[in-house]
């Protein structure tokens, strides 16, 4: 399995575990140990230290406040219908927001968009 697929599997597991508080990264549950080690290095409970933010990429346009809201819902695993209900917008408008986010971030999937957002700390 390619490293990118292993990393995405580990990131998906981390995102799912972190929905209800800090993730328990002490167990591997069959995930790639190198990928989990990278995730563990990002999560340092009790140290009070934060990871250094990667430099902003000036070639990528900033997301609007609405797009950041949609991205936050994507990070929570929301579908387009879920997004439309949460933000009181039409389903088609939610689809447009997701399409614009993917285009602006130059990624092809929701998972990649969330990974980008986590890397550049776009979600608060």
């Amino acid at each position: 399995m390619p490293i990118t697929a292993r990393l995405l599997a580990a990131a998906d597991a981390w995102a799912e575990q972190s929905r209800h508080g800090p993730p328990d990264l002490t167990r591997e549950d069959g995930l790639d140990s190198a990928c989990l080690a990278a995730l563990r290095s990002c999560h340092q409970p009790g140290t009070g230290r934060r990871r250094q933010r990667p430099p902003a990429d000036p070639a990528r346009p900033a997301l609007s406040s609405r797009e950041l809201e949609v991205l936050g819902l994507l990070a929570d695993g929301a579908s387009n219908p879920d997004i439309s209900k949460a933000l009181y917008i039409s389903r088609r408008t939610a689809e447009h927001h997701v399409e614009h986010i993917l285009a602006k971030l130059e990624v092809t999937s929701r998972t990649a968009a969330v990974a980008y957002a986590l890397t550049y700390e776009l979600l608060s």
Side-chain angles (χ1 to χ4, degrees):
M1 183 183 287
I3 185 68
T4 53
R6 295 186 341 238
L7 184 57
L8 284 176
D12 283 343
W14 178 83
E16 181 62 34
Q17 291 177 10
S18 64
R19 283 181 153 191
H20 307 289
D24 176 16
L25 297 176
T26 59
R27 302 181 341 255
E28 292 191 13
D29 293 333
L31 294 173
D32 185 88
S33 59
C35 294
L36 282 170
L39 289 172
R40 285 185 190 111
S41 72
C42 296
H43 179 71
Q44 301 171 358
T47 63
R49 296 185 325 169
R50 295 188 60 173
R51 290 184 310 152
Q52 184 175 358
R53 178 183 286 198
D57 186 351
R60 296 203 172 140
L63 298 177
S64 70
S65 59
R66 177 59 94 180
E67 289 168 337
L68 289 172
E69 284 180 280
V70 172
L71 187 57
L73 291 168
L74 288 176
D76 289 337
S79 64
N80 288 344
D82 296 335
I83 293 168
S84 67
K85 288 177 187 174
L87 299 179
Y88 302 101
I89 58 177
S90 74
R91 187 174 181 173
R92 187 67 184 135
T93 300
E95 291 172 9
H96 280 290
H97 283 309
V98 172
E99 290 170 5
H100 291 160
I101 291 167
L102 297 180
K104 283 183 177 183
L105 299 181
E106 297 178 4
V107 297
T108 58
S109 71
R110 292 166 179 253
T111 302
V114 172
Y116 180 93
L118 293 173
T119 301
Y120 289 95
E121 298 179 2
L122 298 178
L123 304 173
S124 51

